[in-house]
Amino acid sequence: MSLYFEVHLVGEEFLPATGPVLLAPVHRSRWDPFMLYVLAHKRLLRFMASKDEFVGLQGWLMRRLGAFPVNTQRPSADMIRHCLELLSSQEVLVVFPEGNLYYYAPNEVHPLKPGVAWLALNCQRELPDLHLPVVPVRFVYADRVLGFRSRADIVVQKPLLVKEYLDLPPKEGLRRLTADLQQALGDVVNETPSLETFPQKR
């Protein structure tokens, strides 16, 4: 990845080298999971992904990258249990909080649903001895369609410590964590389903 693209890491010190992590990146390209491996170095990433994506060669590759399928419309108790197992094993769980791929301009974010915050808070309650951080990640791509030597900035934001939100009333903690994560992921909230105004490669 670093040879094919011009990759720059910003704030990589915010990603813990050990311990459980809930990594929450924006989703701007099919290259995003590969970019995260540039950031994570030798840590195995476990991606939560829609079961509809696990088809053919793509599904095979996704599993090799560390992805596991979930029903995003009806999350099951098994899904929660699997997330708890991953975090209790000190692994990195990756969830794209926007829930879809959006071709937005850099530093824009789609309005977040409370799913990631809900998952983080529930996992922290079930694993009270662990210090679980939610680590927001922005991708700032110079080109709408990434090509050879396209510049890609991977910007890691300051972790949000989930335990701090457990001191709030449940609904307020959920709302606050969702709002803080959204603010960390983008400076501008964009409600357009898909934007094609991304800067084009010159």
Side-chain angles (χ1 to χ4, degrees), residues 45-128:
L45 303 180
R46 302 304 306 271
F47 296 85
M48 181 187 293
S50 170
K51 63 183 181 68
D52 298 332
E53 297 287 330
F54 287 80
V55 292
L57 180 60
Q58 174 177 292
W60 179 87
L61 179 59
M62 289 174 67
R63 291 182 188 277
R64 296 308 179 277
L65 281 172
F68 60 94
V70 298
N71 185 336
T72 55
Q73 301 302 316
R74 291 186 177 182
S76 66
D78 287 341
M79 182 273 288
I80 302 295
R81 188 160 42 248
H82 186 54
C83 291
L84 287 169
E85 290 172 355
L86 293 175
L87 294 173
S88 63
S89 299
Q90 313 291 306
E91 296 200 46
V92 181
L93 173 61
V94 182
V95 183
F96 292 96
E98 293 168 306
N100 210 334
L101 174 62
Y102 293 97
Y103 296 120
Y104 288 168
N107 299 318
E108 293 187 352
V109 61
H110 195 71
L112 301 188
K113 294 181 179 180
V116 172
W118 179 87
L119 177 64
L121 289 165
N122 276 276
C123 287
Q124 184 65 85
R125 288 191 189 97
E126 293 293 326
L127 303 168

